[in-house]
mmCIF file of all heavy atoms in Angstrom:
data_model
loop_
_atom_site.group_PDB
_atom_site.id
_atom_site.type_symbol
_atom_site.label_atom_id
_atom_site.label_comp_id
_atom_site.label_asym_id
_atom_site.label_seq_id
_atom_site.Cartn_x
_atom_site.Cartn_y
_atom_site.Cartn_z
ATOM 1 N N LEU A 276 -29.104 11.805 3.330
ATOM 2 C CA LEU A 276 -28.009 11.523 4.261
ATOM 3 C C LEU A 276 -26.784 12.280 3.945
ATOM 4 O O LEU A 276 -25.803 12.302 4.693
ATOM 5 C CB LEU A 276 -27.573 10.002 4.137
ATOM 6 C CG LEU A 276 -28.717 8.988 4.584
ATOM 7 C CD1 LEU A 276 -28.100 7.605 4.371
ATOM 8 C CD2 LEU A 276 -28.983 9.143 6.063
ATOM 9 N N MET A 277 -26.772 13.019 2.786
ATOM 10 C CA MET A 277 -25.583 13.586 2.229
ATOM 11 C C MET A 277 -25.200 15.015 2.875
ATOM 12 O O MET A 277 -25.668 15.985 2.370
ATOM 13 C CB MET A 277 -25.674 13.700 0.686
ATOM 14 C CG MET A 277 -25.631 12.442 -0.048
ATOM 15 S SD MET A 277 -25.728 12.684 -1.815
ATOM 16 C CE MET A 277 -25.604 10.927 -2.460
ATOM 17 N N LYS A 278 -24.421 14.876 3.939
ATOM 18 C CA LYS A 278 -24.094 16.155 4.571
ATOM 19 C C LYS A 278 -23.218 17.053 3.647
ATOM 20 O O LYS A 278 -22.418 16.482 2.916
ATOM 21 C CB LYS A 278 -23.102 15.831 5.845
ATOM 22 C CG LYS A 278 -23.918 15.367 7.035
ATOM 23 C CD LYS A 278 -23.047 15.283 8.194
ATOM 24 C CE LYS A 278 -22.151 14.057 8.066
ATOM 25 N NZ LYS A 278 -21.271 13.810 9.335
ATOM 26 N N GLY A 279 -23.526 18.356 3.640
ATOM 27 C CA GLY A 279 -22.652 19.206 2.767
ATOM 28 C C GLY A 279 -23.255 19.358 1.373
ATOM 29 O O GLY A 279 -22.942 20.236 0.709
ATOM 30 N N VAL A 280 -24.156 18.319 0.979
ATOM 31 C CA VAL A 280 -24.746 18.428 -0.320
ATOM 32 C C VAL A 280 -26.157 18.914 -0.109
ATOM 33 O O VAL A 280 -26.725 19.773 -0.805
ATOM 34 C CB VAL A 280 -24.729 16.993 -0.897
ATOM 35 C CG1 VAL A 280 -25.706 16.876 -2.148
ATOM 36 C CG2 VAL A 280 -23.300 16.590 -1.338
ATOM 37 N N VAL A 281 -26.783 18.294 0.967
ATOM 38 C CA VAL A 281 -28.219 18.679 1.291
ATOM 39 C C VAL A 281 -28.093 19.650 2.439
ATOM 40 O O VAL A 281 -27.345 19.608 3.301
ATOM 41 C CB VAL A 281 -29.029 17.420 1.725
ATOM 42 C CG1 VAL A 281 -30.239 17.694 2.376
ATOM 43 C CG2 VAL A 281 -29.181 16.480 0.541
ATOM 44 N N ALA A 282 -29.116 20.642 2.444
ATOM 45 C CA ALA A 282 -29.078 21.670 3.561
ATOM 46 C C ALA A 282 -29.308 21.005 4.851
ATOM 47 O O ALA A 282 -30.013 19.962 4.883
ATOM 48 C CB ALA A 282 -30.304 22.602 3.249
ATOM 49 N N ASP A 283 -28.668 21.448 5.891
ATOM 50 C CA ASP A 283 -28.728 20.805 7.179
ATOM 51 C C ASP A 283 -30.203 20.565 7.625
ATOM 52 O O ASP A 283 -30.406 19.467 8.243
ATOM 53 C CB ASP A 283 -27.982 21.743 8.228
ATOM 54 C CG ASP A 283 -26.551 21.576 8.162
ATOM 55 O OD1 ASP A 283 -25.957 20.803 7.256
ATOM 56 O OD2 ASP A 283 -25.762 22.355 8.881
ATOM 57 N N ALA A 284 -30.977 21.543 7.411
ATOM 58 C CA ALA A 284 -32.371 21.353 7.781
ATOM 59 C C ALA A 284 -33.176 20.217 7.113
ATOM 60 O O ALA A 284 -34.134 19.784 7.502
ATOM 61 C CB ALA A 284 -33.196 22.692 7.564
ATOM 62 N N GLU A 285 -32.569 19.738 6.004
ATOM 63 C CA GLU A 285 -33.171 18.600 5.224
ATOM 64 C C GLU A 285 -32.491 17.387 5.240
ATOM 65 O O GLU A 285 -32.812 16.380 4.589
ATOM 66 C CB GLU A 285 -33.287 19.077 3.764
ATOM 67 C CG GLU A 285 -33.980 20.454 3.562
ATOM 68 C CD GLU A 285 -34.788 20.603 2.213
ATOM 69 O OE1 GLU A 285 -34.302 20.052 1.279
ATOM 70 O OE2 GLU A 285 -35.662 21.342 2.330
ATOM 71 N N LEU A 286 -31.496 17.283 6.191
ATOM 72 C CA LEU A 286 -30.894 15.974 6.543
ATOM 73 C C LEU A 286 -31.684 15.166 7.348
ATOM 74 O O LEU A 286 -32.450 15.628 8.205
ATOM 75 C CB LEU A 286 -29.551 16.237 7.240
ATOM 76 C CG LEU A 286 -28.373 16.823 6.467
ATOM 77 C CD1 LEU A 286 -27.234 17.277 7.359
ATOM 78 C CD2 LEU A 286 -27.911 15.896 5.346
ATOM 79 N N GLY A 287 -31.694 13.814 7.181
ATOM 80 C CA GLY A 287 -32.537 12.943 7.932
ATOM 81 C C GLY A 287 -32.419 11.475 7.459
ATOM 82 O O GLY A 287 -31.671 11.218 6.422
ATOM 83 N N THR A 288 -32.984 10.665 8.177
ATOM 84 C CA THR A 288 -32.995 9.227 7.801
ATOM 85 C C THR A 288 -34.240 8.941 6.855
ATOM 86 O O THR A 288 -35.335 9.094 7.308
ATOM 87 C CB THR A 288 -33.107 8.279 8.963
ATOM 88 O OG1 THR A 288 -32.096 8.560 9.793
ATOM 89 C CG2 THR A 288 -33.164 6.817 8.620
ATOM 90 N N PRO A 289 -33.948 8.610 5.661
ATOM 91 C CA PRO A 289 -35.073 8.282 4.697
ATOM 92 C C PRO A 289 -35.841 7.041 5.133
ATOM 93 O O PRO A 289 -35.272 5.985 5.345
ATOM 94 C CB PRO A 289 -34.376 8.103 3.359
ATOM 95 C CG PRO A 289 -32.987 8.506 3.425
ATOM 96 C CD PRO A 289 -32.651 8.333 4.939
ATOM 97 N N ILE A 290 -37.178 7.162 5.204
ATOM 98 C CA ILE A 290 -37.984 5.944 5.485
ATOM 99 C C ILE A 290 -38.887 5.651 4.238
ATOM 100 O O ILE A 290 -39.539 4.547 4.243
ATOM 101 C CB ILE A 290 -38.800 6.052 6.781
ATOM 102 C CG1 ILE A 290 -39.756 7.232 6.753
ATOM 103 C CG2 ILE A 290 -37.855 6.145 7.993
ATOM 104 C CD1 ILE A 290 -40.737 7.199 7.897
ATOM 105 N N LEU A 291 -38.919 6.561 3.272
ATOM 106 C CA LEU A 291 -39.661 6.333 2.055
ATOM 107 C C LEU A 291 -39.214 7.142 0.994
ATOM 108 O O LEU A 291 -38.855 8.357 1.237
ATOM 109 C CB LEU A 291 -41.191 6.509 2.213
ATOM 110 C CG LEU A 291 -42.140 6.324 1.036
ATOM 111 C CD1 LEU A 291 -42.113 4.822 0.583
ATOM 112 C CD2 LEU A 291 -43.602 6.726 1.302
ATOM 113 N N GLY A 292 -38.952 6.795 -0.225
ATOM 114 C CA GLY A 292 -38.426 7.538 -1.282
ATOM 115 C C GLY A 292 -39.147 7.138 -2.555
ATOM 116 O O GLY A 292 -39.415 6.089 -2.739
ATOM 117 N N LEU A 293 -39.357 8.149 -3.500
ATOM 118 C CA LEU A 293 -39.910 7.882 -4.750
ATOM 119 C C LEU A 293 -38.974 8.392 -5.902
ATOM 120 O O LEU A 293 -38.663 9.558 -5.860
ATOM 121 C CB LEU A 293 -41.324 8.578 -4.877
ATOM 122 C CG LEU A 293 -41.879 8.637 -6.205
ATOM 123 C CD1 LEU A 293 -42.175 7.188 -6.674
ATOM 124 C CD2 LEU A 293 -43.126 9.382 -6.260
ATOM 125 N N ASP A 294 -38.531 7.484 -6.753
ATOM 126 C CA ASP A 294 -37.762 7.756 -7.944
ATOM 127 C C ASP A 294 -38.582 8.493 -8.969
ATOM 128 O O ASP A 294 -39.443 7.871 -9.462
ATOM 129 C CB ASP A 294 -37.147 6.519 -8.341
ATOM 130 C CG ASP A 294 -36.177 6.510 -9.477
ATOM 131 O OD1 ASP A 294 -36.035 7.687 -10.134
ATOM 132 O OD2 ASP A 294 -35.390 5.598 -9.802
ATOM 133 N N VAL A 295 -38.283 9.791 -9.239
ATOM 134 C CA VAL A 295 -39.011 10.369 -10.324
ATOM 135 C C VAL A 295 -38.106 10.633 -11.557
ATOM 136 O O VAL A 295 -38.434 11.491 -12.408
ATOM 137 C CB VAL A 295 -39.732 11.698 -9.930
ATOM 138 C CG1 VAL A 295 -40.804 11.458 -8.782
ATOM 139 C CG2 VAL A 295 -38.742 12.731 -9.283
ATOM 140 N N TRP A 296 -37.003 9.887 -11.730
ATOM 141 C CA TRP A 296 -36.348 9.973 -13.015
ATOM 142 C C TRP A 296 -37.294 9.338 -14.033
ATOM 143 O O TRP A 296 -38.077 8.398 -13.875
ATOM 144 C CB TRP A 296 -35.059 9.014 -12.897
ATOM 145 C CG TRP A 296 -33.863 9.560 -12.162
ATOM 146 C CD1 TRP A 296 -33.965 9.947 -10.912
ATOM 147 C CD2 TRP A 296 -32.575 9.696 -12.602
ATOM 148 N NE1 TRP A 296 -32.649 10.434 -10.585
ATOM 149 C CE2 TRP A 296 -31.835 10.311 -11.656
ATOM 150 C CE3 TRP A 296 -31.905 9.430 -13.943
ATOM 151 C CZ2 TRP A 296 -30.417 10.539 -11.877
ATOM 152 C CZ3 TRP A 296 -30.637 9.708 -14.016
ATOM 153 C CH2 TRP A 296 -29.739 10.283 -13.012
#
Side-chain angles (χ1 to χ4, degrees):
L276 296 177
M277 292 181 176
K278 280 189 286 182
V280 169
V281 167
D283 285 354
E285 304 207 331
L286 287 171
T288 303
I290 61 170
L291 180 65
L293 170 60
D294 188 342
V295 297
W296 282 57

